Amino acid sequence: MSRCLQGKHILLGLTGGIACYKSAELVRLLVREGADVHVLMTPAAQQFLTPLTLQSLSGNSVATDLFSLSEELHVGHIRLADLADAYLIAPATADVVAKLAHGNADDVVTTVALATRAPLLVAPSMNVNMYEHPAVQENLERLARRGVRVIPAAEGELACGWHGKGRLAEPPVLLAEVERAVTPPVFAGERIVVTAGPTREFLDPVRFLTNRSSGKMGFALAAAAWRRGAEVMLVSGPVSLPTPHGVARRNVVSAAEMYEAVADEFSRATMLVMCAAVADYRPAVCQPTKVKKQSKGWTLELQPTIDILASLKPQKGNRFVVGFAAETDQVEEFGREKLERKGLDLVVANDVSRPEAGMEADMNAAILLDRFGGRIELPLMNKADLAEAILDRIAELRQRTA
Ligand code: C5P
């Protein structure tokens, strides 16, 4: 949980499409994240869902009418516009997209879109032929040029029976977009490579050496960096986590593959956050066929893998580079040693011998050591919160290095 929505005033405009039912789910998600949600509905949207449903879910009265004596007395559409931290229109029909593109304001949803200074997000939803119509595409492009965040429709089965682009983006995607809209874009212009998960070093086609890393910490960092405005490339070892919305991903298996991918991305990156638990050793040989069970033992010869961070040190330039130090003893001493040897700006040192924290767990604690001599101790917290705290520190230190 990012907590970025706590206490934020989010306006959600519904227009006349069957996807209004997804917006009801979105209201629940927004409320669960601590947002104060105000729903606005066009007359057509009220054909699909009743204002009472959305009032019950949001806990606030629903704006349906510009000229209602009671609604205008209660909140007022200009007050709503002023109150907003972000305004999302979802679903946005072709008609409403056209009105927004041209600045029409003949209902409460479009009027508030003109009246607010808050970031405006528009999530279109319609039949595929309508969505692909040049008139609709031109209107969406016009909105995007004006700084409106257009959340593209997804592809799939459409309620009208067609298959194609036109489905309203799913509620978790809309939630992530709203979270990003209310988060200060401190990493705008940064291209951040985040690595995550374990690597696998094969002994034969079916057996490998690996470690307990789940990828949770790296995925949380990637999601949080995107929310703060960065372009994010996640280089992930084998994990079973979904790619966070907005983040690009490259999958790798071995330490050698991770090196190839990171070295390739590094040339275009402005920051590297090396959170992956890369294997330090791999079998000297990988047998081409499965090794048969034998009564005698099997002695493995291991050789070191390439140290990705250390090998990129000469090309570092003014990139901001973060390493992780997972230790079971002398956490801080080993963390400091890595900071020096790998030429890092920041080390996130953590004690992975604690049963409640570290690898696989949902929680972690860490000590942040930086090259300016700073030391910050972060107590046990969930990995999403830890990701935010680490990025807060990176943003502070970045100002000294950029
Ligand atoms: O040396 P050690 O493996 O303990 O260092 C951990 C840090 O170095 C992590 O940031 C990890 O991603 C990175 N690492 C690396 N290449 C390796 C092994 C670890 O870049 N082969």
Side-chain angles (χ1 to χ4, degrees):
M1 190 165 160
S2 79
R3 300 188 198 287
C4 59
L5 283 172
Q6 283 193 4
K8 296 285 185 204
H9 306 292
I10 305 302
L11 307 191
L12 178 61
L14 272 67
T15 73
I18 179 66
C20 276
Y21 75 92
K22 290 192 187 173
S23 303
E25 174 66 20
L26 176 63
V27 173
R28 291 187 60 238
L29 297 179
L30 289 165
V31 169
R32 197 187 300 159
E33 296 296 323
D36 173 37
V37 183
H38 293 264
V39 176
L40 304 87
M41 299 176 85
T42 61
Q46 294 165 57
Q47 301 288 324
F48 291 91
L49 277 185
T50 70
L52 183 61
T53 304
L54 294 151
Q55 178 176 301
S56 308
L57 292 171
S58 69
N60 284 316
S61 58
V62 172
T64 56
D65 191 352
L66 276 177
F67 306 109
S68 151
L69 287 177
S70 59
E71 276 182 24
E72 285 301 295
L73 188 68
H74 189 59
V75 188
H77 67 274
I78 298 298
R79 254 197 63 209
L80 258 189
D82 290 345
L83 181 75
D85 290 299
Y87 181 17
L88 167 65
I89 301 180
T93 57
D95 179 51
V96 164
V97 167
K99 282 182 188 167
L100 293 169
H102 293 89
N104 291 13
D106 67 349
D107 57 37
V108 73
V109 169
T110 49
T111 302
V112 171
L114 287 187
T116 190
R117 295 217 162 157
L120 179 64
L121 301 92
V122 170
S125 166
M126 63 200 74
N127 161 272
V128 56
N129 294 336
M130 292 174 75
Y131 187 68
E132 287 174 355
H133 196 286
V136 173
Q137 286 304 316
E138 277 168 28
N139 286 334
L140 289 172
E141 280 160 25
R142 185 188 282 225
L143 288 173
R145 274 200 304 277
R146 214 185 272 155
V148 173
R149 176 78 174 168
V150 174
I151 305 166
E155 194 162 333
E157 294 299 323
L158 302 178
C160 55
W162 281 73
H163 183 98
K165 256 196 154 182
R167 286 169 64 97
L168 179 67
E170 293 304 316
V173 168
L174 298 173
L175 175 70
E177 289 281 354
V178 173
E179 286 180 332
R180 185 173 190 254
V182 301
T183 304
V186 290
F187 289 146
E190 301 277 10
R191 198 185 139 85
I192 307 184
V193 176
V194 179
T195 67
T199 61
R200 289 179 182 172
E201 310 304 325
F202 278 82
L203 311 168
D204 71 15
V206 297
R207 302 183 178 97
F208 51 81
L209 300 177
T210 190
N211 59 61
R212 291 167 50 211
S213 172
S214 63
K216 286 177 194 162
M217 190 68 234
F219 277 58
L221 282 162
W226 175 78
R227 264 198 302 278
R228 293 173 187 226
E231 194 185 322
V232 183
M233 171 58 77
L234 180 59
V235 178
S236 179
V239 296
S240 53
L241 296 172
T243 310
H245 173 65
V247 169
R249 175 170 174 179
R250 280 176 79 158
N251 289 327
V252 297
V253 176
S254 64
E257 282 179 26
M258 185 161 283
Y259 168 74
E260 293 291 325
V262 174
D264 179 38
E265 294 295 335
F266 195 64
S267 53
R268 295 183 289 276
T270 61
M271 285 195 203
L272 169 63
V273 180
M274 196 73 203
C275 184
V278 186
D280 292 322
Y281 295 94
R282 65 154 183 251
V285 279
C286 173
Q287 302 298 338
T289 52
K290 187 183 169 203
V291 176
K292 296 282 172 291
K293 188 162 70 176
Q294 301 164 34
S295 51
K296 59 183 171 113
W298 180 4
T299 305
L300 289 178
E301 188 193 340
L302 301 179
Q303 58 183 210
T305 56
I306 183 163
D307 188 312
I308 301 170
L309 280 174
S311 74
L312 293 174
K313 192 172 164 182
Q315 289 127 266
K316 181 180 178 294
N318 65 355
R319 291 178 186 84
F320 195 93
V321 179
V322 182
F324 278 64
E327 303 294 348
T328 52
D329 61 314
Q330 299 179 64
V331 176
E332 205 162 330
E333 290 76 356
F334 284 127
R336 273 198 202 290
E337 182 271 326
K338 272 173 213 173
L339 189 72
E340 291 292 322
R341 181 168 48 85
K342 304 195 185 203
L344 307 176
D345 294 294
L346 181 70
V347 156
V348 180
N350 63 320
D351 182 349
V352 288
S353 65
R354 295 168 66 159
E356 76 285 16
M359 287 179 163
E360 292 175 301
D362 289 329
M363 312 278 282
N364 206 1
I367 301 171
L368 307 188
L369 306 167
D370 63 69
R371 76 170 159 99
F372 306 100
R375 178 190 185 279
I376 292 182
E377 212 165 323
L378 299 172
L380 193 65
M381 59 182 98
N382 72 49
K383 286 183 175 173
D385 289 337
L386 194 65
E388 299 289 347
I390 293 168
L391 291 183
D392 283 346
R393 186 64 180 147
I394 293 175
E396 272 169 33
L397 295 170
R398 180 62 166 159
Q399 291 177 351
R400 301 195 208 169
T401 58

